[in-house]
Amino acid sequence: MTAPSLLSPALRNYPWGSRTAIPVLLGQQPDGEPQAELWFGAHRAAPSLLPDRPGHPDLAAAIAADPAQELGEASLAAHGPELPFLLKLLAAERALSVQVHPTRKQAQDGHDREEAAGVPLNAPHRTFKDRNHKPELLCALEPFEALCGFREPACTAELLDALAVPELCRWSAVLRSRPAHEALSHTLRAALYASERLMRTVAAALHRLTASPGPWNNTAAAYTAVAEDFPGDPGLLAALLLNHVRLDAGEALYLGAGVPHAYLRGTGVEIMANSDNVLRCGLTDKHVNPVLLADIVDCTPMRPAIMRPTPTGLTGETQFCSPAQEFVFSRLETGTEAVSVTDPGPQVLLCLAGHVRLTPGPTLSRGAAAFVPAGSPCEVTGAGAVLYRARVPMGTAS
């Protein structure tokens, strides 16, 4: 049986990334470049390395060589010969794109359609990179701002009225008079095809609203920052339809298929199904397909549920409960006494405070991670240290 192995993450440099957060967390000197994400997993676009194993394979290659050994029979039966989740450390200095993710059926149909049409995987207009859906959960490591889900239409109409932009009066009327799904679908479509002149007018109005006392000034401040990040981008108007959410450290958001969202500022740990399927509504220079987006986005108003972890029964561990079939995500405060984290499925353990000794296996310092193969015996110790633990729910069909 293979022992736990050090897992070397893949660094992703995206323009929205923080120039300081990840280097500081890792104890490194910032190099001035935006460092957006560290990927701990086996996604084919950027699999993590296993530097302690012979030949230094990446995790995807190790799993392909012996999926039963690495994943275990239960995970293999439920999810096939791949690690079903991807764990990330994310640091946003400016807004990410407003985006949605497809259901599994939509992803399968879309992927097969693009494959049949001969659209290359690396083509700028390629949407479905794989056949999987992408439920995701983000846990804040510091105060974190995001946009998540459509606000109640009548409430958004109040925001538009507060902006006092005459061209938005028709939007407010639609939001107040039509059924919620129809009103939001109509207004989103209008936002995506709006003129640059209207976008700049709205940006100026948001700046004025930010400076004015009242119920909307904090939300307007978040949108003003978005407008400054992406001048003239239609995603700003789409963003106005979404709830503004603030997370404290230790709180989390879960995002299912079709829910529009955008992360704005902050550092967090994110876990998702092992997929890269994204449809963007704006705040990006990448491909936006409004027609396809209309088929994927869920225009149901929602109030985002801020998640807080609950104890699991394992000493020091709390868990964020979600409906995802691909992952279980928890936080473990370790102590001087060893705690067993042996599990029948594969795990990724990410240390974000102190030093954690894995027995057997490596010692993890802040920012370091390990891959624990299915069934591999593993105990953890480390006074005052913190581990984030990603594993596969057992007994759940895909």
Side-chain angles (χ1 to χ4, degrees), residues 114-173:
E114 291 184 330
E115 286 288 290
V119 181
L121 272 176
N122 60 353
H125 60 290
R126 177 77 185 234
T127 299
F128 299 97
K129 306 294 180 66
D130 52 64
R131 304 181 78 248
N132 203 8
H133 66 167
K134 193 184 176 187
E136 62 186 49
L137 184 151
L138 180 129
C139 173
L141 297 177
E142 62 179 7
F144 195 100
E145 287 192 84
L147 305 175
C148 177
F150 285 109
R151 193 186 295 108
E152 286 290 339
C155 190
T156 294
E158 293 177 10
L159 169 60
L160 300 186
D161 291 345
L163 291 173
V165 174
E167 292 93 332
L168 298 182
C169 292
R170 289 175 303 208
W171 296 16
S172 297

Side-chain angles (χ1 to χ4, degrees), residues 197-374:
R197 183 190 60 80
L198 177 56
M199 288 179 274
R200 295 192 182 280
T201 301
V202 169
L206 285 166
H207 186 76
R208 291 194 299 271
L209 191 58
T210 298
S212 304
W216 289 108
N217 61 338
N218 287 335
T219 296
Y223 291 131
T224 295
V226 168
E228 292 172 350
D229 289 343
F230 295 92
D233 191 296
L236 171 65
L237 301 184
L240 292 179
L241 306 178
L242 307 183
N243 298 284
H244 175 224
V245 181
R246 289 184 170 181
L247 301 177
D248 290 328
E251 295 179 333
L253 279 176
Y254 176 79
L255 299 161
V259 177
H261 60 280
Y263 300 142
L264 302 182
R265 301 286 189 276
T267 303
V269 181
E270 186 181 27
I271 187 167
M272 62 193 62
N274 192 33
S275 172
D276 196 29
N277 287 326
V278 178
L279 289 92
R280 296 174 176 85
C281 312
L283 307 185
T284 181
D285 57 2
K286 296 182 179 180
H287 180 61
V288 176
N289 186 333
V291 176
L292 182 57
L293 178 69
D295 294 334
I296 301 296
V297 68
D298 183 354
C299 289
T300 304
M302 62 170 285
R303 185 184 297 273
I306 295 177
M307 303 173 66
R308 296 173 180 85
T310 56
T312 66
L314 185 68
T315 302
E317 185 179 51
T318 54
Q319 178 178 310
F320 293 92
C321 296
S322 82
Q325 297 181 353
E326 290 79 8
F327 58 79
V328 176
F329 181 64
S330 58
R331 181 180 186 274
L332 178 60
E333 296 184 9
T334 61
T336 55
E337 294 188 10
V339 173
S340 173
V341 293
T342 303
D343 193 84
Q347 302 180 76
V348 173
L349 306 178
L350 171 61
C351 176
L352 287 182
H355 293 79
V356 178
R357 173 65 183 171
L358 276 56
T359 307
T363 295
L364 304 179
S365 58
R366 188 172 62 170
F371 175 71
V372 185

